[in-house]
Amino acid sequence: MLSSEEILKIISTEIEKLNAPKAPEGLYLPIKYTLTLSGKRIRPLLTIAAFQMFDNRIHKAIPAALALELFHNFTLLHDDVMDNSPVRRGEPTVHKKWNENTAILSGDAMLIEAYKILAKSEPKYLPKLLDIFNKTALEVCEGQQYDMEFENRNDVQISEYLEMIRLKTSVLIAACLKIGAVLGNAEEEICEKLYDFGIEMGLAFQLQDDLLDTFGTEAQFGKRIGCDILEQKKTYLLLKAYETADEMQKQKLNTLFLGGNISEFDKIQGVTTIFNELKIKEKTMELIEQKHKNALSILNTLKIDEQKKQILYDFAEMLMNRQK
Amino acid sequence: MLSSEEILKIISTEIEKLNAPKAPEGLYLPIKYTLTLSGKRIRPLLTIAAFQMFDNRIHKAIPAALALELFHNFTLLHDDVMDNSPVRRGEPTVHKKWNENTAILSGDAMLIEAYKILAKSEPKYLPKLLDIFNKTALEVCEGQQYDMEFENRNDVQISEYLEMIRLKTSVLIAACLKIGAVLGNAEEEICEKLYDFGIEMGLAFQLQDDLLDTFGTEAQFGKRIGCDILEQKKTYLLLKAYETADEMQKQKLNTLFLGGNISEFDKIQGVTTIFNELKIKEKTMELIEQKHKNALSILNTLKIDEQKKQILYDFAEMLMNRQK
C-alpha cells in the first residue's frame, strides 16, 4: 500500500507528463497553467486510494484519476469566468491573465481532454466509468446553476443549500472513490458505500470551507478572510444565522449588507459579531462533526481489511483538522 | 435503405425525446432551445447514412448520431458567446436570450450530454468511438482558436485558412461518416476513406458558405448578405483577393476596410466590385469544384455497392447546389 505522499508524488509526475507543449499554444497553454497552479490533488488521491484497497497495480487507476483532476480544474476555470473571480490559488485566473474567450475555449478543451484520458482506462470498465463520470459531471453543472440562482434569491433554505453543495462538491469526491473501487473490481455494494462515504466527507469539506472563510486565518487559509460575507454569499453560516436570529439581529444583518456607507472591515466585523452571538461557528462545527460521524460509520460497515481502510480514516481525520 | 428524408424524420423524433423537461430549468432549457432551432441535421444524417451502407439496424447508430448533433450544437452555443453573435438561425442566441453565464454553463452541460448519449452505443465500439470523438472535438476547438487568432493577424495565408476550416468544420463531418462506418463494422480502410471523403466535402461546404455570404441571396441564405465583408473576415474570398489584387486594388480594399466614413452598403458594394474584377467568385467556385471532385474520386474507389453509395453522391450533389 502506498502512502498519501507516495500517491501524490505519482500524480504530480503524471500531471507533468500531460503538460507537454501542444499547438495552438493559445488553446493549450491556459490548460497547462491551470493544472500547474498548486491544487491539493484530493480527487485523484482518493481515486487511487480507493483503487489500492482492491488492487495494487495502481497504473490501472491513473487515467481515471487524472481525468477526474482535469475535470475538477475545468470546472474551476469556467466557474471563475462565471463568478468573475480575479484570483485562484494566489495567481490571476485564466480569463484575467488571457481573456474570457480563451477561458471558455480552453475550458472546453480541458473537459474534452478529461474524457480523452478517461478513455485510456481498461475497455471493459469504460461503460461503467462513463456512466458515473457523465452523471457526476452533469450534477456538478446543476450545482453551479443552483449556486448562481441562489445569488438572486432571498428565500434559500438550508436544505437547498446542502443539496447545492452536495451537487457542486460532494458528488465529484464521491465519484472519485467509486471510480477507484470500480476499477479495482470491487463489489457493487462496496462501491456504493464508498460513494456514500464520499458524499458525507464532501459535505464536511465544503462546510469546513465556509467556516474557514470567516473563522480561519489568512496565513493558513491562503485566501482573504471574510470574502463570503462581503459577497453576501448564502453559505450555511449566513443561512443558519438568519434562521436563528431574533428580529433585532436580523435587522442588524440587513443593515450591514444593505448599508452603503459601511467599510469592508466593519461589515466583516459586524457580521462576525452576530455570528458569534448566535454561536454560528459552534453550530457549523456540530454539523461538520455530524457529517464526519456519518462518514466514519459508513466506513466502519465496509467489509474490507481495517488496515486497508486506514488511508480513508486518515483522510477523514485530515479534513476535520484542516486549516486551509 | 432509408432515404435522407426518412432518416431526418427519425432524427427529429429522437431529438424530440431528448428534450424532456429536467431540473434545474435554468440549465436545461437553453439546451432544449438550442436543439430546437431548426438546423440542417447534416451531421447525424451522415452518421446514419454511413452506417446503413453496412448494417440496416439503424437504431444502433442513433446514440452516436445524436451525440454528434449535440456536440455540433454545443460548439455553436459557445462560439456565439465568443463571437458575440446576437442571432442564430433567425432567433436570439442563448447568451442574448438568457445571459453569458447561462450560455457557458448550459454549453458545458450540453457537451457532457453528448458524451452521455455517445456512451449508449454498443460497448465493444466505445473505445474506438471515444477515440474518434475526442480527437475530433479537440480539433474543432483548435479550429475555433485559430479562427479567433486570425482576427488579429494580417498575414494569414490561404493554406492556414484552409487548415483552419478543416479543423473547425471538416473533421466533424468526416468523423460523422467514420463513426457511422465503425458502428457498421466496416473495414478500417473503408472507414478511413469515408473520413477523407468527409474532409473534402467539409471544405467544399465551408467554402460554399463563404461564397454565399457574399454572393448568395438573403431570401435563400437566410442570413444578411455581406456580413463577412463588414467584419473583415479573412475568408478564402478576401485572402484570394489580396493575393491576386494589384497595388491599386489592394489600396482600394484597405481604404474600404479602414475608412471610417463609408456606409455599410458602400463597403459591401465596393469590396464586391473588386471581388468581381478579380473573378473571386469564379476562383472560389473552382476550388469548391476541385474539393467536390476529390470527394467523388474517393467515393468512386470505395469498394461498396454503387447503390449503397448513392445517398453520399446525392449529398455531395446537394451541397454543390445549395443556396442556403
PDB file of all heavy atoms in Angstrom, chain A residues 275-288:
ATOM      1  N   PHE A 275     -22.595  36.485  14.160  1.00  0.00           N
ATOM      2  CA  PHE A 275     -22.330  35.039  14.103  1.00  0.00           C
ATOM      3  C   PHE A 275     -21.914  34.539  15.487  1.00  0.00           C
ATOM      4  O   PHE A 275     -22.355  33.482  15.933  1.00  0.00           O
ATOM      5  CB  PHE A 275     -21.210  34.731  13.091  1.00  0.00           C
ATOM      6  CG  PHE A 275     -21.648  34.759  11.638  1.00  0.00           C
ATOM      7  CD1 PHE A 275     -20.718  34.512  10.620  1.00  0.00           C
ATOM      8  CD2 PHE A 275     -22.967  34.997  11.278  1.00  0.00           C
ATOM      9  CE1 PHE A 275     -21.104  34.518   9.277  1.00  0.00           C
ATOM     10  CE2 PHE A 275     -23.361  35.009   9.930  1.00  0.00           C
ATOM     11  CZ  PHE A 275     -22.422  34.773   8.937  1.00  0.00           C
ATOM     12  N   ASN A 276     -21.055  35.307  16.157  1.00  0.00           N
ATOM     13  CA  ASN A 276     -20.571  34.882  17.479  1.00  0.00           C
ATOM     14  C   ASN A 276     -21.707  34.868  18.499  1.00  0.00           C
ATOM     15  O   ASN A 276     -21.825  33.918  19.281  1.00  0.00           O
ATOM     16  CB  ASN A 276     -19.436  35.792  17.952  1.00  0.00           C
ATOM     17  CG  ASN A 276     -18.136  35.500  17.199  1.00  0.00           C
ATOM     18  OD1 ASN A 276     -17.932  34.374  16.706  1.00  0.00           O
ATOM     19  ND2 ASN A 276     -17.275  36.499  17.083  1.00  0.00           N
ATOM     20  N   GLU A 277     -22.529  35.908  18.465  1.00  0.00           N
ATOM     21  CA  GLU A 277     -23.683  35.950  19.378  1.00  0.00           C
ATOM     22  C   GLU A 277     -24.569  34.719  19.201  1.00  0.00           C
ATOM     23  O   GLU A 277     -25.097  34.174  20.155  1.00  0.00           O
ATOM     24  CB  GLU A 277     -24.539  37.200  19.085  1.00  0.00           C
ATOM     25  CG  GLU A 277     -23.924  38.521  19.540  1.00  0.00           C
ATOM     26  CD  GLU A 277     -24.694  39.739  18.977  1.00  0.00           C
ATOM     27  OE1 GLU A 277     -25.861  39.560  18.565  1.00  0.00           O
ATOM     28  OE2 GLU A 277     -24.108  40.830  18.942  1.00  0.00           O
ATOM     29  N   LEU A 278     -24.688  34.303  17.934  1.00  0.00           N
ATOM     30  CA  LEU A 278     -25.591  33.188  17.623  1.00  0.00           C
ATOM     31  C   LEU A 278     -24.887  31.828  17.649  1.00  0.00           C
ATOM     32  O   LEU A 278     -25.494  30.809  17.325  1.00  0.00           O
ATOM     33  CB  LEU A 278     -26.226  33.421  16.237  1.00  0.00           C
ATOM     34  CG  LEU A 278     -27.132  34.640  16.109  1.00  0.00           C
ATOM     35  CD1 LEU A 278     -27.408  34.964  14.645  1.00  0.00           C
ATOM     36  CD2 LEU A 278     -28.450  34.392  16.843  1.00  0.00           C
ATOM     37  N   LYS A 279     -23.623  31.845  18.050  1.00  0.00           N
ATOM     38  CA  LYS A 279     -22.821  30.610  18.103  1.00  0.00           C
ATOM     39  C   LYS A 279     -22.831  29.862  16.755  1.00  0.00           C
ATOM     40  O   LYS A 279     -22.978  28.626  16.707  1.00  0.00           O
ATOM     41  CB  LYS A 279     -23.331  29.700  19.219  1.00  0.00           C
ATOM     42  CG  LYS A 279     -23.207  30.317  20.617  1.00  0.00           C
ATOM     43  CD  LYS A 279     -23.278  29.242  21.685  1.00  0.00           C
ATOM     44  CE  LYS A 279     -23.244  29.845  23.089  1.00  0.00           C
ATOM     45  NZ  LYS A 279     -22.126  30.804  23.308  1.00  0.00           N
ATOM     46  N   ILE A 280     -22.700  30.622  15.691  1.00  0.00           N
ATOM     47  CA  ILE A 280     -22.729  30.013  14.354  1.00  0.00           C
ATOM     48  C   ILE A 280     -21.518  29.117  14.124  1.00  0.00           C
ATOM     49  O   ILE A 280     -21.633  28.049  13.518  1.00  0.00           O
ATOM     50  CB  ILE A 280     -22.796  31.121  13.270  1.00  0.00           C
ATOM     51  CG1 ILE A 280     -24.107  31.894  13.370  1.00  0.00           C
ATOM     52  CG2 ILE A 280     -22.650  30.524  11.874  1.00  0.00           C
ATOM     53  CD1 ILE A 280     -25.366  31.059  13.229  1.00  0.00           C
ATOM     54  N   LYS A 281     -20.384  29.526  14.654  1.00  0.00           N
ATOM     55  CA  LYS A 281     -19.182  28.694  14.487  1.00  0.00           C
ATOM     56  C   LYS A 281     -19.425  27.309  15.102  1.00  0.00           C
ATOM     57  O   LYS A 281     -19.196  26.293  14.453  1.00  0.00           O
ATOM     58  CB  LYS A 281     -17.985  29.373  15.161  1.00  0.00           C
ATOM     59  CG  LYS A 281     -16.675  28.650  14.946  1.00  0.00           C
ATOM     60  CD  LYS A 281     -15.500  29.390  15.579  1.00  0.00           C
ATOM     61  CE  LYS A 281     -14.217  28.601  15.414  1.00  0.00           C
ATOM     62  NZ  LYS A 281     -13.087  29.228  16.122  1.00  0.00           N
ATOM     63  N   GLU A 282     -19.926  27.319  16.331  1.00  0.00           N
ATOM     64  CA  GLU A 282     -20.171  26.050  17.037  1.00  0.00           C
ATOM     65  C   GLU A 282     -21.223  25.213  16.292  1.00  0.00           C
ATOM     66  O   GLU A 282     -21.073  23.997  16.152  1.00  0.00           O
ATOM     67  CB  GLU A 282     -20.645  26.310  18.468  1.00  0.00           C
ATOM     68  CG  GLU A 282     -19.574  26.900  19.387  1.00  0.00           C
ATOM     69  CD  GLU A 282     -19.247  28.370  19.088  1.00  0.00           C
ATOM     70  OE1 GLU A 282     -20.036  29.030  18.365  1.00  0.00           O
ATOM     71  OE2 GLU A 282     -18.197  28.854  19.547  1.00  0.00           O
ATOM     72  N   LYS A 283     -22.262  25.896  15.821  1.00  0.00           N
ATOM     73  CA  LYS A 283     -23.326  25.151  15.134  1.00  0.00           C
ATOM     74  C   LYS A 283     -22.829  24.540  13.825  1.00  0.00           C
ATOM     75  O   LYS A 283     -23.231  23.436  13.453  1.00  0.00           O
ATOM     76  CB  LYS A 283     -24.524  26.079  14.870  1.00  0.00           C
ATOM     77  CG  LYS A 283     -25.356  26.275  16.130  1.00  0.00           C
ATOM     78  CD  LYS A 283     -26.439  27.319  15.949  1.00  0.00           C
ATOM     79  CE  LYS A 283     -27.151  27.539  17.287  1.00  0.00           C
ATOM     80  NZ  LYS A 283     -27.759  28.877  17.381  1.00  0.00           N
ATOM     81  N   THR A 284     -21.981  25.280  13.153  1.00  0.00           N
ATOM     82  CA  THR A 284     -21.424  24.732  11.905  1.00  0.00           C
ATOM     83  C   THR A 284     -20.507  23.552  12.211  1.00  0.00           C
ATOM     84  O   THR A 284     -20.553  22.518  11.528  1.00  0.00           O
ATOM     85  CB  THR A 284     -20.659  25.828  11.139  1.00  0.00           C
ATOM     86  OG1 THR A 284     -21.502  26.966  10.987  1.00  0.00           O
ATOM     87  CG2 THR A 284     -20.234  25.341   9.763  1.00  0.00           C
ATOM     88  N   MET A 285     -19.686  23.724  13.242  1.00  0.00           N
ATOM     89  CA  MET A 285     -18.780  22.627  13.611  1.00  0.00           C
ATOM     90  C   MET A 285     -19.565  21.380  14.013  1.00  0.00           C
ATOM     91  O   MET A 285     -19.145  20.256  13.739  1.00  0.00           O
ATOM     92  CB  MET A 285     -17.842  23.070  14.727  1.00  0.00           C
ATOM     93  CG  MET A 285     -16.740  24.003  14.214  1.00  0.00           C
ATOM     94  SD  MET A 285     -15.724  24.740  15.526  1.00  0.00           S
ATOM     95  CE  MET A 285     -14.717  23.326  15.988  1.00  0.00           C
ATOM     96  N   GLU A 286     -20.683  21.611  14.650  1.00  0.00           N
ATOM     97  CA  GLU A 286     -21.558  20.491  15.028  1.00  0.00           C
ATOM     98  C   GLU A 286     -22.012  19.719  13.785  1.00  0.00           C
ATOM     99  O   GLU A 286     -21.978  18.492  13.755  1.00  0.00           O
ATOM    100  CB  GLU A 286     -22.811  21.050  15.708  1.00  0.00           C
ATOM    101  CG  GLU A 286     -23.089  20.529  17.100  1.00  0.00           C
ATOM    102  CD  GLU A 286     -24.171  21.389  17.750  1.00  0.00           C
ATOM    103  OE1 GLU A 286     -25.326  21.373  17.238  1.00  0.00           O
ATOM    104  OE2 GLU A 286     -23.848  22.112  18.719  1.00  0.00           O
ATOM    105  N   LEU A 287     -22.450  20.476  12.775  1.00  0.00           N
ATOM    106  CA  LEU A 287     -22.917  19.829  11.545  1.00  0.00           C
ATOM    107  C   LEU A 287     -21.766  19.103  10.845  1.00  0.00           C
ATOM    108  O   LEU A 287     -21.936  17.978  10.348  1.00  0.00           O
ATOM    109  CB  LEU A 287     -23.545  20.869  10.597  1.00  0.00           C
ATOM    110  CG  LEU A 287     -24.181  20.305   9.329  1.00  0.00           C
ATOM    111  CD1 LEU A 287     -25.305  19.316   9.652  1.00  0.00           C
ATOM    112  CD2 LEU A 287     -24.734  21.434   8.441  1.00  0.00           C
ATOM    113  N   ILE A 288     -20.607  19.746  10.840  1.00  0.00           N
ATOM    114  CA  ILE A 288     -19.433  19.097  10.239  1.00  0.00           C
ATOM    115  C   ILE A 288     -19.139  17.792  10.975  1.00  0.00           C
ATOM    116  O   ILE A 288     -18.903  16.747  10.361  1.00  0.00           O
ATOM    117  CB  ILE A 288     -18.200  20.036  10.281  1.00  0.00           C
ATOM    118  CG1 ILE A 288     -18.444  21.268   9.398  1.00  0.00           C
ATOM    119  CG2 ILE A 288     -16.940  19.299   9.849  1.00  0.00           C
ATOM    120  CD1 ILE A 288     -17.381  22.351   9.528  1.00  0.00           C
TER     121      ILE A 288
END
